[in-house]
Amino acid sequence: MQLTSSHQRRVAAAAIGAASVLLAWFAREPSGLLVAVTAVSICVGWKAGLVSVATASFLAGAILLSPAYGAENGPVQLTAFVAGAFGLWLVVKIFRTISFYDRVYQDPGPNFTDIPGLGWSAYPDGRLRFLNPAALEYVGVTTEEIREIMNADDFSWWRRFVHADDVEASMAQWRHSLETGEPMIVEKRLRRFDGTYRWFRDTGVASRDESGRIIGWYGHTEDIDDRRKAEAALRQSERELRLLVDTVPTMIWLMTPAGLPYYFNKRFVDWAGVDSAREEPRGTRQFALHVELFHPDDRAAVKAVFQKSFARGEPLQHKGRLCRKDGVYRWIDSRFEPLRDEDGTILRWYGVNFDVDDEVRAQESLRLADERLARALRAASLSELSVSIAHELNQPLQAVVANAGAFQRWLNADPPNFDHASRVAQKIIRNADAAAQVISRIRALFSKTEGEPRAIDLNAVIREVCDLLGERLTSNSVKLDLHLDPRLPETAADHVQMEQVVLNLVRNSIEAMQDVSISERNLRIVSRRQNDGTVEIEVRDRGRGLTDLEGIFEAFYTTKPDGMGMGLAICRSIVEAHYGRLWAENVEAGGASITISLPIRAADTTKAPTSATASA
C-alpha cells in the first residue's frame, strides 16, 4: 500500500499508534508502544516522533511502576524502555535524512542538480519532492528546511514562496494539470531570499511509465522578470508612440512592401471616415478599395503613380482630391517613402497626407487675381501705348499734311516747279513710310509675332527720333546737343522698339525741363562704345533730377499729374528683352541721365523677342 499524501500518512500513523497503545495497555506490555513511536517517526516526522517518545515513556512508566504490574525492577525496565524508544527514533531520523540525500542529491548520474536555473520535482499527487540547489539558493532555505516544508503540508510551499496575488491562480492551474495530466505553464511571482518578488514562468510536465501511468512531475522555473519589464516598457513606448502618431496634426498611413494598406492613424480615420473595425486583417486590405476614396478624375493617375513607385521602390509626392467622410473632395498632398533594412530590402512604406485644399484654393484665387491684374496692366499698357502711338503717328502724319500742302503749292505755281514738288513728294513718302512701320510693329506686337532682329545703326535711330521730335524741341525752347560716336558699331536689335525707347526717354527729358529757365534747357544725347563689348546711349537733361532712381522703372510709378507710369517700365522690358540694361542717375551739376546699355551682337545669332514688350 502506498501512502501518497501527508494526510494519509498521518491517519496511518495515528491508527497504528492508537492500536499499539491499546494493545500495550491491556496486555500490560510496554514494548508495544515502540511500534507507535516508529510509526509516528516514519510517517509524520522527527518532531512528532520525539513527542511520541515522550508520550510512550510516560505510558510505559505508568505500566511498569504500577502495583498491578508487579515488576521487581520497574525503574530499571523503564530506563531501558526510554533508551530504546529514543534510539529507535534516532535511527529512523538518520535513515530518513540519508535516504533523502541519496535519492536526490547523491545520485552519481545526471540529476536535477544539473538543471540550469530553478528545477523541481513532485510526486504524482502533486506533493513537492525536491528543489535543486539553485532553487534552494533563490528562496533562501536549506535542504532540511525544505524537507520540513514538504512534510508540513501538500501545498504549504506555494503560500510561502508565491506572491499572494498569484497563489490561487497558480494552484488552480496546478490542480488542473494534476487532474488532466496536461503540462502546466503558469507565470507567477516568487519571493527571493531577500523578500523581493520576481516574475517566473513555471513549466511542469508529467513523467509516465510504460503503461502511461504518471509516476512524477518535473519542472523548470525560468526567470522572466527582466523580459516582462522590457515588454512592459515596450508596450508603454508603443502606447506613447501611438498617442504621438494619433495626435500629430496630419494623416499618417502605412503600407506593406507590396503596397497594401496596413495602418491608418486616428486623424486619418476621423478625416476619411474609414471604419477600421470592419477592415480586413492588416496587410490584406485591397489597395483598389482605398483608391476609390480619390476623385474619379484622379483615380487612374493616382493608381498609376503609386504602382510605379511601388515597382521601383522610389519615394513619391502626389497631389489629388480625396473624399472626406462628409462626401466633400479636398486636395491632398500625399508623400511616402520606403523603410529599408541594412540590405536595402523594403520593410514598409510610410506615408503622410497633408490637407492642402485651402492652400490650393488660395493659389487658384491668387491666379485669378493675377490674371485680372494682368488684364488691368495690359489695359493700362494699351492706354499708355495708345498715347505713345498717337504721338508717334502724329509727327509723321503732320509732316505728311504739311508736305502735301507744299507739294500742292509747288504744282499750282505758274509755271509749276516740278523739281521742288518731287523733293517734297519724297518727304511725303518717307513720312508715310514711318507711320506705316509704326502700324506694322503694333500689329506684330499684338499678334505675338516675333520680329527679326537686324543690325541697326543706333546713331541713325537717335537722329530719326530727333527729327520726329524736332518741332517739340523747338516749341519747348530745348537746345539739342548730340555727341554721337562716328565709329559706333552696329548691333542686332529691333529698329522700331529701339526707336520707341529713345523717343520715350527724349520726350521725358523735354517734359522734365518745363519748370526750369529757358537758358538752362539743354538736352544732351551721347552714344559711345565700352570696353566690355557693349554700346551705350545716354540721354541727359537739366531738370530737377529724380527722387527714386529705381522706382521710376516700376509699373504705375509716375511723377506727372496725368501720367500712367508705364513708359519707363515698358522701356526697361524692351531693353532687357535685348539682353541689355537701363538705369538712371542724378547729375551733380543738375538734372538726371538715363543710360541704355546693349551688347554688341551679330544679326544672325540672336533674336530680340517682342513678347517682352507685350508682357511689360
Side-chain angles (χ1 to χ4, degrees):
M1 182 180 65
Q2 293 184 351
L3 302 178
T4 58
S5 68
S6 59
H7 177 71
Q8 292 175 343
R9 293 195 303 272
R10 289 187 177 92
V11 171
I16 295 173
S20 299
V21 169
L22 292 175
L23 181 62
W25 181 261
F26 289 109
R28 295 294 177 176
E29 179 55 49
S31 60
L33 298 174
L34 295 177
V35 176
V37 172
T38 303
V40 172
S41 299
I42 293 175
C43 295
V44 180
W46 68 272
K47 291 182 179 179
L50 192 59
V51 173
S52 68
V53 169
T55 303
S57 298
F58 175 78
L59 293 176
I63 296 173
L64 293 174
L65 299 178
S66 65
Y69 189 74
E72 297 179 355
N73 52 353
V76 175
Q77 291 181 2
L78 178 60
T79 302
F81 178 86
V82 171
F86 183 77
L88 183 61
W89 169 84
L90 185 60
V91 169
V92 172
K93 180 178 182 301
I94 293 174
F95 175 77
R96 281 172 56 90
T97 303
I98 293 175
S99 177
F100 181 79
Y101 277 97
D102 287 343
R103 286 186 291 110
V104 178
Y105 298 103
Q106 302 299 324
D107 193 332
N111 52 44
F112 287 102
T113 61
D114 301 321
I115 297 177
L118 312 186
W120 54 269
S121 171
Y123 291 103
D125 61 347
R127 292 181 294 113
L128 183 64
R129 178 182 292 169
F130 92 104
L131 296 177
N132 72 342
L136 294 175
E137 181 181 359
Y138 178 83
V139 297
V141 297
T142 63
T143 55
E144 186 65 27
E145 291 172 335
I146 195 62
R147 191 158 62 87
E148 294 178 5
I149 296 172
M150 291 159 53
N151 291 332
D153 185 76
D154 290 345
F155 297 101
S156 61
W157 63 278
W158 289 84
R159 297 183 177 87
R160 181 166 179 175
F161 300 122
V162 179
H163 194 280
D165 296 339
D166 303 331
V167 169
E168 295 301 328
S170 299
M171 292 182 64
Q173 181 64 36
W174 180 228
R175 290 191 183 99
H176 175 76
S177 297
L178 293 176
E179 294 173 359
T180 62
E182 298 175 356
M184 178 195 70
I185 301 177
V186 63
E187 293 185 359
K188 57 190 176 184
R189 286 162 287 183
L190 296 180
R191 182 181 60 81
R192 198 166 58 183
F193 62 88
D194 58 0
T196 60
Y197 286 89
R198 292 180 63 85
W199 280 98
F200 283 83
R201 172 172 289 158
D202 202 1
T203 305
V205 294
S207 176
R208 303 175 184 270
D209 58 14
E210 295 178 354
S211 61
R213 185 171 58 91
I214 296 176
I215 59 176
W217 290 85
Y218 299 91
H220 176 259
T221 306
E222 177 186 3
D223 189 337
I224 59 171
D225 193 76
D226 295 335
R227 189 179 71 185
R228 284 182 65 99
K229 290 179 179 178
E231 291 174 350
L234 179 60
R235 287 192 295 269
Q236 178 63 24
S237 178
E238 289 178 348
R239 283 193 295 268
E240 293 176 356
L241 180 59
R242 177 66 61 86
L243 180 62
L244 174 64
V245 170
D246 289 340
T247 308
V248 169
T250 188
M251 292 172 277
I252 300 176
W253 46 276
L254 278 68
M255 285 191 171
T256 65
L260 298 177
Y262 179 79
Y263 166 78
F264 299 94
N265 73 336
K266 185 176 183 299
R267 189 171 292 270
F268 192 110
V269 172
D270 293 341
W271 189 94
V274 178
D275 189 358
S276 58
R278 297 177 58 185
E279 289 289 342
E280 301 168 10
R282 288 184 173 183
T284 62
R285 300 167 179 155
Q286 296 298 318
F287 176 67
L289 298 178
H290 295 278
V291 172
E292 298 298 323
L293 294 175
F294 284 90
H295 193 278
D297 296 342
D298 300 338
R299 288 172 188 169
V302 169
K303 188 174 182 180
V305 296
F306 272 57
Q307 290 178 346
K308 178 180 178 181
S309 181
F310 292 143
R312 297 183 178 182
E314 298 175 348
L316 175 67
Q317 180 178 355
H318 177 75
K319 283 187 178 180
R321 287 164 290 181
L322 199 66
C323 184
R324 200 168 57 185
K325 63 181 179 181
D326 57 0
V328 177
Y329 285 95
R330 294 181 63 84
W331 282 97
I332 297 295
D333 185 0
S334 298
R335 306 179 186 183
F336 66 98
E337 292 194 11
L339 173 66
R340 302 177 183 271
D341 59 13
E342 297 178 353
D343 299 329
T345 304
I346 295 178
L347 301 177
R348 195 159 295 164
W349 289 88
Y350 287 87
V352 293
N353 285 352
F354 299 100
D355 188 336
V356 295
D357 191 78
D358 296 336
E359 177 184 347
V360 171
R361 296 183 184 276
Q363 290 177 349
E364 180 65 17
S365 300
L366 181 60
R367 185 187 64 82
L368 296 176
D370 287 342
E371 289 182 357
R372 291 192 295 269
L373 179 60
R375 288 193 295 269
L377 288 175
R378 193 178 302 116
S381 299
L382 290 175
S383 177
E384 180 70 12
L385 195 58
S386 299
V387 175
S388 177
I389 292 171
H391 183 75
E392 292 177 19
L393 289 175
N394 185 53
Q395 297 295 330
L397 291 178
Q398 284 182 351
V400 168
V401 172
N403 290 325
F407 179 77
Q408 187 176 18
R409 288 194 299 272
W410 288 116
L411 289 178
N412 291 333
D414 189 16
N417 192 332
F418 294 105
D419 290 337
H420 285 82
S422 177
R423 287 195 295 269
V424 172
Q426 291 178 359
K427 291 183 180 180
I428 293 175
I429 294 172
R430 185 179 62 191
N431 292 331
D433 226 8
Q437 287 184 12
V438 172
I439 298 299
S440 297
R441 293 307 300 147
I442 293 172
R443 292 182 61 187
L445 177 67
F446 291 103
S447 63
K448 298 184 180 180
T449 58
E450 186 173 322
E452 292 289 340
R454 294 175 295 177
I456 63 172
D457 183 0
L458 293 178
N459 288 339
V461 172
I462 295 172
R463 291 189 181 96
E464 291 173 3
V465 170
C466 292
D467 289 344
L468 289 173
L469 296 177
E471 182 181 349
R472 189 165 186 175
L473 289 169
T474 302
S475 62
N476 285 276
S477 302
V478 176
K479 179 183 178 181
L480 180 61
D481 188 5
L482 296 178
H483 290 270
L484 307 180
D485 186 355
R487 293 174 294 182
L488 190 71
E490 293 183 344
T491 184
D494 186 279
H495 184 278
V496 176
Q497 288 185 355
M498 288 298 105
E499 191 176 80
Q500 290 176 350
V501 173
V502 176
L503 186 142
N504 190 284
L505 298 182
V506 172
R507 189 175 66 243
N508 287 346
S509 297
I510 294 173
E511 295 174 353
M513 293 185 288
Q514 290 180 352
D515 296 336
V516 301
S517 61
I518 296 176
S519 60
E520 295 183 358
R521 295 179 184 179
N522 183 277
L523 178 61
R524 181 185 177 91
I525 303 176
V526 180
S527 67
R528 53 181 173 263
R529 178 176 183 171
Q530 298 292 351
N531 295 328
D532 58 355
T534 62
V535 292
E536 293 182 354
I537 299 176
E538 180 185 1
V539 180
R540 180 182 299 184
D541 62 57
R542 296 294 298 277
R544 302 296 184 184
L546 301 171
T547 57
D548 190 349
L549 297 179
E550 280 298 322
I552 60 174
F553 297 105
E554 295 179 1
F556 304 113
Y557 182 93
T558 181
T559 58
K560 305 173 186 178
D562 57 346
M564 299 271 315
M566 297 299 298
L568 290 177
I570 294 174
C571 290
R572 173 169 274 186
S573 297
I574 292 174
V575 173
E576 290 179 349
H578 287 77
Y579 308 101
R581 294 190 304 124
L582 181 66
W583 71 91
E585 295 175 328
N586 283 319
V587 181
E588 293 182 1
S593 72
I594 298 181
T595 305
I596 305 170
S597 176
L598 295 172
I600 301 173
R601 300 175 297 162
D604 59 344
T605 59
T606 309
K607 295 183 179 181
T610 60
S611 60
T613 308
S615 66

